Amino acid sequence: MRSVLPVLLALGLTVYCVVSIAQADAGEVRALPRWGWLLAVLFLPLLGAAAYLLAGRPVAGVPGRRTPPGRRPGPKGPDDDEDFLRGI
């Protein structure tokens, strides 16, 4: 059982990173293009996955990050929300 657990953890981390790479916008992935991260994660499972999580994954709240279509950014506080201010 002990020798199976590290293999399962490495497999789970690899699958997580592959799914994350596939879902990320090409312009938001850092340091390498998406296909480069995909190759790194698949051919160097632990090292590539760790590198992607540290240096390649898109970061929330980065200036220039696009808002998904059909959604507007929400207010940052109560004083930024016009509906809240009207109700006072």
Side-chain angles (χ1 to χ4, degrees), residues 13 18 20-21 23 25-26 31 33 36 42-43 45 51 57 62 65 69-70 72 79 82:
L13 182 62
V18 167
S20 177
I21 293 167
Q23 291 180 344
D25 283 339
L42 291 175
F43 289 116
R57 187 169 54 163
V62 172
R65 182 173 175 169
R72 63 177 196 160
D79 55 339
E82 294 175 18

Side-chain angles (χ1 to χ4, degrees), residues 24-37:
D25 283 339
E28 293 179 350
V29 177
R30 301 176 294 152
L32 287 176
R34 285 186 349 181
W35 61 267
W37 282 119

Side-chain angles (χ1 to χ4, degrees), residues 67-71:
T67 303
R71 293 187 65 193

Side-chain angles (χ1 to χ4, degrees), residues 17 37 40-53:
C17 287
W37 282 119
V41 168
L42 291 175
F43 289 116
L44 304 167
L46 292 176
L47 184 63
Y52 171 72
L53 292 174

